[in-house]
Every structure is written in structure tokens, then in C-alpha cells.
């Protein structure tokens, strides 16, 4: 396995076992459900905004390790960011998992999320990895609608 692949494996295992921000925000401003029927992944994303900043973000859910670890890593990355930056990260992450070449070091930096580049080689897994991000976009667009990757 490549060094990159190993980093990815470790990250997924770690975040699946100990998901960050895995809780409900009772005073959430926004709560959106996301569902990936292809794999049976479900997440509920909670957001509390202060002006244009993400004051708090959390999730609950169930499903495969990739979907849950991706949600965990996403909440960790976007915590405290302004919503425009979070949207820019959505675009970048989406390109990354679709196999589009991205400059991971340009602002906003993908950081650890760059490890998901390997997902592009497994089309069935792209929806698992991007479920949390699709749900985030729906939440930020203020629609608050449930999201399905299908
Ligand atoms: Zn999945």
C-alpha cells in the first residue's frame, strides 16, 4: 500500500472509532438530514451560526466507516470558519473526490481532507465520502431540506 493510502486508512479508522463532534446541538439553528441510499449511510448535521461564522457544528448518524469518518473530519475542519470559506471547501472537496486536480495547499487548505483523494478511484465510495458535504451545502444554502445522494 502507498504511504498515501496508509494515511487514508489510518484517518478513516481513527475517525470512525472516535468520531469528533458526534453529538446533537439542542439549540441548533439548522438541522439537516442526509442519506446515501446506495450504501445506507445516514447523517444529521447540526449547525449553530453566529453572524456569518459557524459557531458550532456537530453530527449524528450511522453507516459505513467512510461516511462517518468524513463527517467527523468535516466538522473538525469547518468549525469556526465563515460560511463562504466552508462553501469553498465544499467545492474543493467535491473536486478532490471526483478526481479533479486541486491545489490542496491554496486557501482554504484541505489539510487532512486531502487524504480523501484516493476515493476518486472507487466511484461507489464517492457518495459515502461526500454525503456530509452535500448535507452541509444544503444547510448553508438555508434550504434545510433533507438531502439524498440519489
Ligand atoms: Zn457508505
Amino acid at each position: 500500500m502507498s504511504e498515501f493510502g496508509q494515511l487514508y486508512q489510518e484517518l478513516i479508522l481513527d475517525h470512525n472509532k472516535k468520531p469528533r463532534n458526534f453529538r446533537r446541538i439542542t439549540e441548533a439553528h439548522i438541522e439537516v438530514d442526509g442519506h446515501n441510499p446506495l450504501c445506507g449511510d445516514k447523517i444529521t448535521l447540526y449547525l449553530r451560526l453566529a453572524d456569518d461564522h459557524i459557531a458550532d457544528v456537530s453530527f449524528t448518524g450511522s453507516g459505513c466507516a467512510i461516511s462517518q469518518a468524513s463527517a467527523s473530519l468535516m466538522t473538525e475542519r469547518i468549525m469556526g470558519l465563515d460560511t463562504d470559506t466552508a462553501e469553498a471547501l465544499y467545492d474543493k472537496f467535491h473536486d478532490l473526490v471526483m478526481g479533479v486536480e486541486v491545489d490542496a495547499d491554496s486557501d482554504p487548505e484541505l489539510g487532512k481532507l486531502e487524504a480523501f483523494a484516493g476515493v476518486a478511484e472507487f466511484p461507489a465510495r464517492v457518495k459515502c465520502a461526500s454525503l456530509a458535504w452535500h448535507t452541509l451545502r444544503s444547510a448553508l444554502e438555508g434550504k434545510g431540506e433533507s438531502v439524498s445522494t440519489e
Side-chain angles (χ1 to χ4, degrees):
M1 194 185 291
S2 69
E3 199 181 314
F4 196 64
Q6 187 155 2
L7 177 76
Y8 169 72
Q9 290 278 339
E10 282 169 12
L11 211 55
I12 298 290
L13 287 174
D14 176 42
H15 277 260
N16 184 48
K17 210 158 90 185
K18 292 178 293 186
R20 321 303 198 260
N21 306 307
F22 191 90
R23 59 192 157 85
R24 237 180 125 244
I25 299 175
T26 45
E27 288 138 45
H29 294 156
I30 310 168
E31 182 178 330
V32 181
D33 294 319
H35 182 210
N36 172 19
L38 214 65
C39 181
D41 309 317
K42 286 181 182 164
I43 76 155
T44 301
L45 190 71
Y46 304 91
L47 274 178
R48 199 161 59 74
L49 300 176
D51 297 323
D52 281 338
H53 282 73
I54 296 169
D56 201 4
V57 54
S58 71
F59 77 104
T60 57
S62 61
C64 72
I66 295 174
S67 68
Q68 303 303 304
S70 177
S72 170
L73 279 150
M74 181 187 81
T75 59
E76 195 180 59
R77 181 67 186 88
I78 65 171
M79 185 75 80
L81 295 182
D82 62 74
T83 54
D84 285 347
T85 307
E87 295 244 26
L89 277 169
Y90 164 88
D91 289 335
K92 227 164 161 178
F93 185 83
H94 192 255
D95 281 351
L96 181 81
V97 295
M98 294 305 284
V100 178
E101 209 172 305
V102 294
D103 179 2
D105 296 326
S106 68
D107 279 341
E109 286 178 30
L110 282 171
K112 284 184 217 165
L113 299 171
E114 199 186 347
F116 282 89
V119 171
E121 288 164 44
F122 306 96
R125 290 304 192 184
V126 170
K127 286 177 176 169
C128 302
S130 56
L131 174 64
W133 289 89
H134 284 298
T135 310
L136 172 70
R137 193 179 56 168
S138 172
L140 291 178
E141 284 176 350
K143 292 181 191 154
E145 286 168 4
S146 295
V147 178
S148 173
T149 54
E150 286 306 292

